[in-house]
Amino acid sequence: MNIYDIAELAGVSIATVSRVVNDSPKVSEKTKAKVRAIMEENHYTPNVFARGLGLNSMKTVGIICPDVSDDYMAGSVAYLEKSLRTYGYDCILYCSGYQYQDKVNAVELILKKRIDALLLVGSNYAGDGEETSTKYIAKAAREVPVFLINGYIHCQGVYCVLSDNYQIMYDTVSALTEAGRKRILFLYDSKSYSAAEKMRGYEDALRDNDLPIRKELEIFEQNKILKVRDRLLAEKGLEFDAVVASDDGMAVGAVKYARKKGLSVPEDVNIIGFNNSELAVCCEPELSSIDSRSEVLCKTAVDSMMMALSGHPVRHKKIIPCCFIKRRTTDF
Amino acid sequence: MNIYDIAELAGVSIATVSRVVNDSPKVSEKTKAKVRAIMEENHYTPNVFARGLGLNSMKTVGIICPDVSDDYMAGSVAYLEKSLRTYGYDCILYCSGYQYQDKVNAVELILKKRIDALLLVGSNYAGDGEETSTKYIAKAAREVPVFLINGYIHCQGVYCVLSDNYQIMYDTVSALTEAGRKRILFLYDSKSYSAAEKMRGYEDALRDNDLPIRKELEIFEQNKILKVRDRLLAEKGLEFDAVVASDDGMAVGAVKYARKKGLSVPEDVNIIGFNNSELAVCCEPELSSIDSRSEVLCKTAVDSMMMALSGHPVRHKKIIPCCFIKRRTTDF
DNA sequence: ATGAAAGCGCTAACAG
DNA sequence: CTGTTAGCGCTTTCAT
């Protein structure tokens, strides 16, 4: 059942049918009603490919994230998908993995689908500061507007929405020092833009509070509870009275470590996670965590995208403040 | 830059270019090489819409799940996406929510995208046993092959891969009774097919072990840690010496409840979760959980889909056994 | 307000 | 092995 059939049945031309489908104002209400009725009766559905061919767009946005099975990204993707649908856009999803070359391939592949815009979820796409590490994104931005969630790249055509990881980390570590903590462990699992921002906040806070920056207190480990616990157990001579982690999983690892060592939380060691995930309330004692308000990030990104797609100017960088969720692993 | 341009530059016809693009065997290696070179030089990418129009397919499969931010579904979607890509298929994702009408709409909408196959993730789509509750799926199955992950519908064109929730539940509850547990609480959060299977396994096990089925020991609650904890706290006069939950979140809620009540786990109460998620290892003590091996389910589904898509016959129902992961909330 | 007709870029049947 | 050509179903001028 195609547009010709409908046109024939309705006794009009295909142009008219097309106009009805697109709700063009220059069709009389009467014909509209007639044609619509015929369409209903025959369960007519316009062929998206044919339409795509003509318009060179299918109202589809590409979403790439390293791994949707990650809690944070899953939440973001869920929100983005739902939100984009309300605007009539479909989502095609690619999970790129974390490897540079895989990310490049994913972007290249998804662009071939003639998406209307590209959404990159996770600061992993922001590169390492070197311009070459984000060249593939700059290239993509020449074809479609690119929206980066939780990362920043300065580049024409890429729009970034990020949570203020630096500030919240600075504030949190400062609060810890003010509460008398002297040896604050920083746990991180990636060299991404946001991880770097967190570390910068951590170091600046120490510096401004006259505490030394000790490299042995900055530990890089996978974001897995048991990995972190065992890593800490394996480090010998490592002493700390507080932990800030760049993800809840790592913070829970620290809690597990404390338990094994017979350290009490928060008395002996304050522990703070990041992302305010379900793990935080699962943890015992419940984990204080930083909420990066990913829904707000996503909402902002979608809003920006809709603006951009309709030709309006959009700011290249929007910063969303984070907030601290106090639970029972901290006492300040 | 389209196929005509390339044809012109290469001094061949568009048919030849098309053949090269599709790697047809009936083009000489020499021309292939020449044409390929031109394509490279000009960064030519075939227009997927035009191709879709002709073939009426874009090598795309639709994935619908109620909510990707759920751990289980996120894991499945991640796996499916990756796996389908290796077969050259793209994924378009819809999160339908849990409401019946929303699910119907999602299926209807996604079918308009002319997907090659439809993947339904989560037993939520299996309906409640009434045929009307799955009519929309049967209808979809008339257009494209439908694959149901972790649910069962008997219907032409829908292929189901499910974990054997009945059996593992039966076995687990039996083990509990053999270990002397008499009052086993069953926690569930949905009326889905798989939840019903779990309950059936639970009840059959009780019956076969000469224990009464007490409806007050079957508690329906949201799959949220604190909701479950508070619900149990609110129930008065409720006594139990074991808990089996249809999801880890609920089981952790039970652990939290036990802690509040000063009950020791597993001595006073054995607790068993489902899905073997990160929550299980986060929990204190670590949670025994049932692993439904969702990756195996997904792999099986994708394999079946590839078979079906290439015209091979496929079984309508495949059952994957679950396995019990013992951790510290059980002592048998 | 409506219709006729020219593409959009590609595939595949047919002809050589 | 290669070229010619007729669609695929829709949008969009350009006429009327």
Side-chain angles (χ1 to χ4, degrees):
Chain A
M1 186 60 52
N2 61 27
I3 201 171
Y4 292 95
D5 301 326
I6 299 298
E8 174 134 29
L9 289 172
V12 298
S13 72
I14 59 163
T16 301
V17 177
S18 173
R19 291 191 186 103
V20 172
V21 168
N22 295 290
D23 203 21
S24 153
K26 32 186 175 183
V27 179
S28 72
E29 282 307 322
K30 207 175 128 197
T31 9
K32 258 189 197 176
K34 185 174 59 181
V35 174
R36 287 221 178 91
I38 306 276
M39 296 197 312
E40 295 273 301
E41 266 174 50
N42 297 276
H43 304 104
Y44 167 68
T45 302
N47 182 311
V48 285
F49 300 149
R51 178 178 257 167
L53 221 205
L55 303 177
N56 203 41
S57 149
M58 280 230 302
K59 291 258 270 180
T60 298
V61 348
I63 301 184
I64 307 185
C65 69
D67 177 13
V68 245
S69 68
D70 174 274
D71 207 63
Y72 178 83
M73 299 176 210
S76 300
V77 170
Y79 183 90
L80 291 169
E81 194 277 337
K82 207 166 29 163
S83 172
L84 286 167
R85 178 168 325 295
T86 67
Y87 285 104
Y89 283 83
D90 285 305
C91 297
I92 116 157
L93 175 70
Y94 275 48
C95 303
S96 68
Y98 293 91
Q99 298 300 315
Y100 177 75
Q101 192 53 49
D102 293 336
K103 294 190 278 182
V104 173
N105 292 341
V107 169
E108 197 165 309
L109 262 174
I110 210 167
L111 282 178
K112 295 196 178 169
K113 302 311 170 199
R114 314 259 164 162
I115 51 179
D116 296 306
L118 178 57
L119 220 23
L120 264 17
V121 180
S123 74
N124 239 281
Y125 297 98
D128 55 10
E130 293 301 315
E131 196 171 327
T132 54
S133 68
T134 55
K135 230 174 56 190
Y136 68 107
I137 296 181
K139 195 174 149 207
R142 262 174 259 133
E143 300 194 29
V144 294
V146 173
F147 296 82
L148 197 55
I149 296 207
N150 203 20
Y152 179 66
I153 298 175
H154 178 78
C155 169
Q156 184 58 238
V158 357
Y159 305 90
C160 307
V161 184
L162 38 149
S163 40
D164 198 348
N165 294 325
Y166 171 81
Q167 192 61 48
I168 192 72
M169 210 53 165
Y170 183 93
D171 293 346
T172 305
V173 172
S174 295
L176 242 17
T177 65
E178 277 157 28
R181 304 285 157 166
K182 301 273 184 233
R183 299 183 61 96
I184 304 173
L185 186 66
F186 176 68
L187 255 23
Y188 64 113
D189 71 331
S190 123
K191 321 269 193 202
S192 70
Y193 176 83
S194 79
E197 284 292 289
K198 289 170 191 171
M199 188 180 294
R200 200 164 63 81
Y202 163 80
E203 294 189 348
D204 282 3
L206 291 184
R207 193 174 294 120
D208 292 352
N209 287 278
D210 302 316
L211 250 28
I213 293 170
R214 302 177 206 270
K215 284 302 174 186
E216 71 271 23
L217 288 180
E218 297 176 352
I219 292 189
F220 181 87
E221 183 54 81
Q222 273 183 63
N223 180 24
K224 294 278 172 207
I225 295 171
L226 298 183
K227 287 263 183 205
V228 171
R229 182 198 64 187
D230 295 342
R231 167 69 180 277
L232 294 180
L233 252 12
E235 296 277 340
K236 49 193 174 199
L238 184 67
E239 302 226 344
F240 50 85
D241 51 16
V243 177
V244 287
S246 65
D247 196 286
D248 283 343
M250 314 193 72
V252 173
V255 172
K256 296 264 176 191
Y257 160 86
R259 181 177 306 274
K260 269 265 202 256
K261 290 286 257 189
L263 265 26
S264 62
V265 178
E267 295 75 7
D268 296 329
V269 48
N270 267 225
I271 300 179
I272 299 166
F274 214 108
N275 282 347
N276 192 25
S277 65
E278 186 85 351
L279 290 185
V281 359
C282 182
C283 183
E284 188 63 40
E286 286 175 33
L287 183 67
S288 291
S289 185
I290 290 166
D291 192 319
S292 56
R293 305 203 297 162
S294 64
E295 295 225 336
V296 180
L297 251 64
C298 291
K299 180 181 181 344
T300 307
V302 171
D303 289 348
S304 300
M305 181 182 294
M306 292 309 134
M307 300 260 43
L309 251 21
S310 56
H312 295 272
V314 176
R315 261 190 296 146
H316 283 269
K317 185 175 187 177
K318 295 194 178 170
I319 299 180
I320 312 294
C322 296
C323 58
F324 181 77
I325 310 290
K326 175 161 174 33
R327 293 206 187 81
R328 293 176 30 243
T329 56
T330 48
D331 55 8
F332 63 87
Chain B
M1 185 62 51
N2 62 26
I3 201 171
Y4 292 95
D5 301 327
I6 300 297
E8 173 133 28
L9 290 172
V12 298
S13 73
I14 60 162
T16 299
V17 177
S18 174
R19 290 190 186 103
V20 172
V21 168
N22 295 289
D23 203 19
S24 155
K26 33 188 177 183
V27 179
S28 72
E29 283 307 323
K30 208 177 127 193
T31 12
K32 258 190 195 173
K34 183 174 61 183
V35 174
R36 286 221 178 91
I38 306 277
M39 295 195 316
E40 295 273 298
E41 264 174 50
N42 298 276
H43 303 104
Y44 167 69
T45 301
N47 182 311
V48 285
F49 301 148
R51 175 181 259 163
L53 221 205
L55 302 179
N56 203 42
S57 150
M58 278 227 309
K59 292 260 270 179
T60 298
V61 347
I63 300 184
I64 307 186
C65 69
D67 178 12
V68 245
S69 67
D70 175 274
D71 207 61
Y72 179 83
M73 300 177 211
S76 299
V77 170
Y79 183 89
L80 292 169
E81 194 276 338
K82 206 165 32 159
S83 173
L84 286 166
R85 178 167 327 294
T86 67
Y87 286 103
Y89 283 83
D90 285 304
C91 297
I92 117 159
L93 176 70
Y94 276 48
C95 303
S96 68
Y98 293 91
Q99 300 298 315
Y100 178 74
Q101 193 52 49
D102 293 335
K103 293 190 279 184
V104 173
N105 292 341
V107 169
E108 195 164 311
L109 262 175
I110 209 168
L111 282 178
K112 294 195 180 171
K113 301 314 170 200
R114 315 260 165 159
I115 50 180
D116 296 305
L118 178 58
L119 220 22
L120 264 18
V121 180
S123 73
N124 239 281
Y125 297 98
D128 55 11
E130 294 300 316
E131 197 172 328
T132 53
S133 68
T134 56
K135 232 174 54 191
Y136 69 106
I137 295 180
K139 194 172 150 208
R142 262 175 259 132
E143 300 193 31
V144 295
V146 174
F147 296 82
L148 198 55
I149 296 209
N150 203 20
Y152 179 66
I153 298 175
H154 178 78
C155 169
Q156 184 57 237
V158 358
Y159 304 89
C160 307
V161 184
L162 38 148
S163 41
D164 198 348
N165 294 326
Y166 171 82
Q167 193 61 47
I168 192 73
M169 211 52 165
Y170 183 92
D171 293 346
T172 305
V173 172
S174 295
L176 243 16
T177 65
E178 277 157 29
R181 305 285 157 167
K182 300 273 184 234
R183 300 183 62 95
I184 304 173
L185 186 67
F186 176 68
L187 255 22
Y188 64 113
D189 71 331
S190 123
K191 319 268 193 206
S192 70
Y193 175 82
S194 80
E197 284 292 288
K198 288 171 192 171
M199 189 181 293
R200 201 165 63 80
Y202 163 80
E203 293 189 349
D204 282 3
L206 291 184
R207 193 175 293 121
D208 293 352
N209 287 279
D210 303 316
L211 251 28
I213 293 168
R214 302 178 204 270
K215 283 301 174 187
E216 71 271 22
L217 287 181
E218 296 176 353
I219 292 189
F220 182 88
E221 184 54 81
Q222 273 182 64
N223 180 24
K224 293 275 172 211
I225 295 171
L226 299 183
K227 287 263 183 204
V228 171
R229 181 198 66 186
D230 295 342
R231 168 69 180 277
L232 294 179
L233 252 12
E235 295 280 338
K236 50 193 171 200
L238 183 67
E239 301 227 344
F240 50 86
D241 51 16
V243 178
V244 286
S246 65
D247 197 287
D248 283 342
M250 314 193 73
V252 173
V255 172
K256 296 264 177 193
Y257 160 86
R259 180 179 307 274
K260 269 264 203 258
K261 291 285 258 190
L263 266 24
S264 61
V265 179
E267 293 76 8
D268 296 329
V269 47
N270 266 225
I271 300 178
I272 299 166
F274 214 108
N275 282 346
N276 193 26
S277 65
E278 186 86 353
L279 291 184
V281 358
C282 182
C283 184
E284 188 62 38
E286 285 175 33
L287 182 67
S288 291
S289 184
I290 290 165
D291 191 319
S292 55
R293 305 202 298 160
S294 64
E295 293 222 339
V296 179
L297 252 66
C298 292
K299 181 181 179 344
T300 307
V302 171
D303 288 347
S304 300
M305 179 180 293
M306 292 308 134
M307 300 259 48
L309 253 19
S310 56
H312 294 273
V314 176
R315 263 191 293 147
H316 283 270
K317 186 176 186 176
K318 296 195 180 171
I319 301 181
I320 311 295
C322 297
C323 59
F324 181 78
I325 309 290
K326 174 160 173 38
R327 292 205 186 81
R328 293 175 31 240
T329 57
T330 48
D331 55 8
F332 63 87

Short mmCIF file of all heavy atoms in Angstrom, two decimals, chain A residues 268-302:
data_model
loop_
_atom_site.label_atom_id
_atom_site.label_comp_id
_atom_site.label_asym_id
_atom_site.label_seq_id
_atom_site.Cartn_x
_atom_site.Cartn_y
_atom_site.Cartn_z
N ASP A 268 37.05 6.32 61.28
CA ASP A 268 38.45 6.21 60.88
C ASP A 268 38.69 6.72 59.47
O ASP A 268 39.74 7.26 59.16
CB ASP A 268 38.90 4.73 60.95
CG ASP A 268 38.84 4.20 62.37
OD1 ASP A 268 39.05 5.00 63.31
OD2 ASP A 268 38.58 3.00 62.55
N VAL A 269 37.70 6.51 58.65
CA VAL A 269 37.88 6.95 57.27
C VAL A 269 36.54 7.38 56.67
O VAL A 269 35.56 6.66 56.71
CB VAL A 269 38.59 5.85 56.43
CG1 VAL A 269 37.96 4.50 56.63
CG2 VAL A 269 38.60 6.20 54.95
N ASN A 270 36.55 8.60 56.17
CA ASN A 270 35.38 9.13 55.45
C ASN A 270 35.47 8.62 54.01
O ASN A 270 36.55 8.59 53.44
CB ASN A 270 35.43 10.65 55.40
CG ASN A 270 34.66 11.29 56.55
OD1 ASN A 270 33.92 12.24 56.34
ND2 ASN A 270 34.83 10.78 57.77
N ILE A 271 34.33 8.26 53.47
CA ILE A 271 34.37 7.76 52.09
C ILE A 271 33.26 8.40 51.26
O ILE A 271 32.11 8.48 51.69
CB ILE A 271 34.23 6.22 52.06
CG1 ILE A 271 35.40 5.58 52.85
CG2 ILE A 271 34.20 5.70 50.62
CD1 ILE A 271 35.36 4.07 52.93
N ILE A 272 33.64 8.85 50.08
CA ILE A 272 32.67 9.54 49.23
C ILE A 272 32.73 9.01 47.80
O ILE A 272 33.81 8.92 47.20
CB ILE A 272 32.97 11.05 49.20
CG1 ILE A 272 32.86 11.61 50.63
CG2 ILE A 272 32.01 11.78 48.26
CD1 ILE A 272 33.45 12.99 50.79
N GLY A 273 31.59 8.67 47.29
CA GLY A 273 31.53 8.14 45.93
C GLY A 273 31.10 9.19 44.91
O GLY A 273 30.98 10.38 45.24
N PHE A 274 30.86 8.74 43.72
CA PHE A 274 30.47 9.65 42.65
C PHE A 274 29.44 8.97 41.76
O PHE A 274 29.62 7.80 41.39
CB PHE A 274 31.70 10.00 41.80
CG PHE A 274 31.66 11.41 41.27
CD1 PHE A 274 32.51 12.38 41.78
CD2 PHE A 274 30.77 11.77 40.26
CE1 PHE A 274 32.48 13.68 41.30
CE2 PHE A 274 30.73 13.07 39.79
CZ PHE A 274 31.59 14.04 40.30
N ASN A 275 28.40 9.68 41.47
CA ASN A 275 27.30 9.30 40.56
C ASN A 275 26.00 8.95 41.27
O ASN A 275 24.98 8.81 40.63
CB ASN A 275 27.67 8.14 39.63
CG ASN A 275 28.52 8.61 38.47
OD1 ASN A 275 28.62 9.81 38.24
ND2 ASN A 275 29.12 7.69 37.75
N ASN A 276 26.10 8.81 42.57
CA ASN A 276 24.88 8.57 43.35
C ASN A 276 24.03 7.45 42.75
O ASN A 276 22.84 7.62 42.46
CB ASN A 276 24.07 9.86 43.42
CG ASN A 276 22.96 9.78 44.45
OD1 ASN A 276 23.05 9.00 45.40
ND2 ASN A 276 21.91 10.55 44.25
N SER A 277 24.66 6.33 42.57
CA SER A 277 23.98 5.19 41.96
C SER A 277 23.31 4.33 43.02
O SER A 277 23.39 4.59 44.22
CB SER A 277 24.99 4.35 41.21
OG SER A 277 25.91 3.79 42.12
N GLU A 278 22.65 3.28 42.56
CA GLU A 278 21.99 2.34 43.46
C GLU A 278 23.02 1.71 44.42
O GLU A 278 22.69 1.35 45.55
CB GLU A 278 21.31 1.25 42.61
CG GLU A 278 20.46 0.26 43.38
CD GLU A 278 19.03 0.74 43.62
OE1 GLU A 278 18.75 1.92 43.34
OE2 GLU A 278 18.21 -0.05 44.11
N LEU A 279 24.24 1.61 43.97
CA LEU A 279 25.28 1.04 44.83
C LEU A 279 25.41 1.84 46.12
O LEU A 279 25.70 1.28 47.18
CB LEU A 279 26.65 1.06 44.13
CG LEU A 279 26.85 0.11 42.94
CD1 LEU A 279 28.29 0.19 42.47
CD2 LEU A 279 26.48 -1.31 43.32
N ALA A 280 25.21 3.14 46.02
CA ALA A 280 25.39 3.99 47.19
C ALA A 280 24.42 3.60 48.30
O ALA A 280 24.79 3.58 49.47
CB ALA A 280 25.22 5.45 46.81
N VAL A 281 23.20 3.28 47.93
CA VAL A 281 22.28 2.91 49.00
C VAL A 281 22.39 1.44 49.35
O VAL A 281 22.07 1.03 50.46
CB VAL A 281 20.81 3.37 48.75
CG1 VAL A 281 20.67 4.11 47.44
CG2 VAL A 281 19.82 2.24 48.83
N CYS A 282 22.95 0.68 48.46
CA CYS A 282 23.17 -0.75 48.73
C CYS A 282 24.28 -0.91 49.76
O CYS A 282 24.23 -1.77 50.63
CB CYS A 282 23.55 -1.45 47.43
SG CYS A 282 23.79 -3.23 47.60
N CYS A 283 25.26 -0.06 49.66
CA CYS A 283 26.45 -0.12 50.50
C CYS A 283 26.12 -0.03 52.00
O CYS A 283 25.15 0.59 52.39
CB CYS A 283 27.34 1.05 50.10
SG CYS A 283 28.91 1.13 50.93
N GLU A 284 26.95 -0.65 52.79
CA GLU A 284 26.75 -0.62 54.24
C GLU A 284 28.02 -0.17 54.94
O GLU A 284 29.01 -0.90 54.85
CB GLU A 284 26.33 -2.01 54.73
CG GLU A 284 25.91 -2.09 56.16
CD GLU A 284 24.67 -1.26 56.46
OE1 GLU A 284 23.75 -1.25 55.61
OE2 GLU A 284 24.65 -0.60 57.49
N PRO A 285 28.07 0.95 55.61
CA PRO A 285 26.98 1.92 55.72
C PRO A 285 26.73 2.62 54.38
O PRO A 285 27.59 2.59 53.51
CB PRO A 285 27.52 2.92 56.74
CG PRO A 285 28.99 2.81 56.65
CD PRO A 285 29.28 1.39 56.30
N GLU A 286 25.58 3.22 54.29
CA GLU A 286 25.24 3.85 53.01
C GLU A 286 26.24 4.93 52.63
O GLU A 286 26.73 5.66 53.48
CB GLU A 286 23.82 4.43 53.08
CG GLU A 286 22.78 3.34 53.01
CD GLU A 286 21.37 3.87 53.19
OE1 GLU A 286 21.13 5.01 52.76
OE2 GLU A 286 20.53 3.16 53.76
N LEU A 287 26.50 4.98 51.37
CA LEU A 287 27.60 5.78 50.84
C LEU A 287 27.20 7.22 50.49
O LEU A 287 26.29 7.44 49.70
CB LEU A 287 28.09 5.09 49.57
CG LEU A 287 29.27 5.64 48.81
CD1 LEU A 287 30.55 5.52 49.64
CD2 LEU A 287 29.41 4.91 47.48
N SER A 288 27.92 8.16 51.04
CA SER A 288 27.74 9.54 50.58
C SER A 288 28.27 9.59 49.16
O SER A 288 29.25 8.93 48.83
CB SER A 288 28.56 10.49 51.45
OG SER A 288 28.01 10.55 52.75
N SER A 289 27.60 10.35 48.33
CA SER A 289 28.00 10.32 46.93
C SER A 289 27.71 11.65 46.27
O SER A 289 26.86 12.42 46.74
CB SER A 289 27.25 9.20 46.21
OG SER A 289 27.69 9.06 44.89
N ILE A 290 28.41 11.91 45.21
CA ILE A 290 28.18 13.15 44.48
C ILE A 290 27.25 12.85 43.32
O ILE A 290 27.46 11.90 42.57
CB ILE A 290 29.51 13.73 43.99
CG1 ILE A 290 30.30 14.23 45.20
CG2 ILE A 290 29.27 14.84 42.98
CD1 ILE A 290 31.75 14.50 44.91
N ASP A 291 26.22 13.64 43.22
CA ASP A 291 25.26 13.43 42.14
C ASP A 291 25.57 14.42 41.02
O ASP A 291 25.55 15.63 41.24
CB ASP A 291 23.85 13.65 42.67
CG ASP A 291 22.81 13.18 41.68
OD1 ASP A 291 23.00 13.42 40.46
OD2 ASP A 291 21.83 12.59 42.09
N SER A 292 25.85 13.88 39.86
CA SER A 292 26.21 14.79 38.76
C SER A 292 24.98 15.20 37.97
O SER A 292 25.09 15.84 36.95
CB SER A 292 27.25 14.15 37.87
OG SER A 292 26.76 12.92 37.41
N ARG A 293 23.84 14.81 38.46
CA ARG A 293 22.58 15.21 37.85
C ARG A 293 22.55 14.97 36.34
O ARG A 293 22.34 15.87 35.53
CB ARG A 293 22.32 16.68 38.16
CG ARG A 293 22.37 16.90 39.69
CD ARG A 293 21.62 18.11 40.11
NE ARG A 293 22.22 19.31 39.54
CZ ARG A 293 21.61 20.47 39.44
NH1 ARG A 293 20.37 20.58 39.87
NH2 ARG A 293 22.23 21.49 38.93
N SER A 294 22.75 13.74 36.02
CA SER A 294 22.88 13.41 34.60
C SER A 294 21.59 13.69 33.83
O SER A 294 21.63 13.98 32.65
CB SER A 294 23.29 11.95 34.44
OG SER A 294 22.29 11.12 34.94
N GLU A 295 20.46 13.64 34.52
CA GLU A 295 19.23 13.94 33.79
C GLU A 295 19.21 15.39 33.32
O GLU A 295 18.74 15.68 32.23
CB GLU A 295 18.00 13.67 34.67
CG GLU A 295 17.84 12.23 35.01
CD GLU A 295 16.40 11.75 34.86
OE1 GLU A 295 15.48 12.59 34.93
OE2 GLU A 295 16.20 10.54 34.67
N VAL A 296 19.72 16.25 34.17
CA VAL A 296 19.75 17.66 33.78
C VAL A 296 20.69 17.84 32.60
O VAL A 296 20.40 18.56 31.64
CB VAL A 296 20.19 18.55 34.97
CG1 VAL A 296 20.23 20.00 34.55
CG2 VAL A 296 19.27 18.35 36.15
N LEU A 297 21.81 17.15 32.67
CA LEU A 297 22.77 17.21 31.56
C LEU A 297 22.08 16.78 30.27
O LEU A 297 22.17 17.46 29.24
CB LEU A 297 23.92 16.23 31.83
CG LEU A 297 25.28 16.85 32.16
CD1 LEU A 297 25.18 17.60 33.46
CD2 LEU A 297 26.35 15.79 32.23
N CYS A 298 21.40 15.66 30.35
CA CYS A 298 20.78 15.12 29.15
C CYS A 298 19.69 16.03 28.64
O CYS A 298 19.57 16.28 27.45
CB CYS A 298 20.21 13.73 29.44
SG CYS A 298 21.48 12.51 29.75
N LYS A 299 18.92 16.53 29.56
CA LYS A 299 17.83 17.43 29.15
C LYS A 299 18.41 18.65 28.43
O LYS A 299 17.94 19.05 27.37
CB LYS A 299 17.03 17.88 30.37
CG LYS A 299 15.89 18.82 30.01
CD LYS A 299 15.13 19.26 31.24
CE LYS A 299 13.95 20.19 30.86
NZ LYS A 299 13.99 20.76 29.52
N THR A 300 19.45 19.19 29.02
CA THR A 300 20.08 20.36 28.42
C THR A 300 20.61 20.03 27.03
O THR A 300 20.45 20.81 26.09
CB THR A 300 21.25 20.83 29.32
OG1 THR A 300 20.76 21.00 30.65
CG2 THR A 300 21.82 22.13 28.81
N ALA A 301 21.20 18.87 26.92
CA ALA A 301 21.75 18.48 25.61
C ALA A 301 20.64 18.36 24.58
O ALA A 301 20.77 18.83 23.44
CB ALA A 301 22.49 17.15 25.74
N VAL A 302 19.54 17.72 24.97
CA VAL A 302 18.45 17.55 24.01
C VAL A 302 17.86 18.91 23.62
O VAL A 302 17.60 19.17 22.44
CB VAL A 302 17.35 16.64 24.59
CG1 VAL A 302 16.13 16.64 23.69
CG2 VAL A 302 17.89 15.21 24.74
#
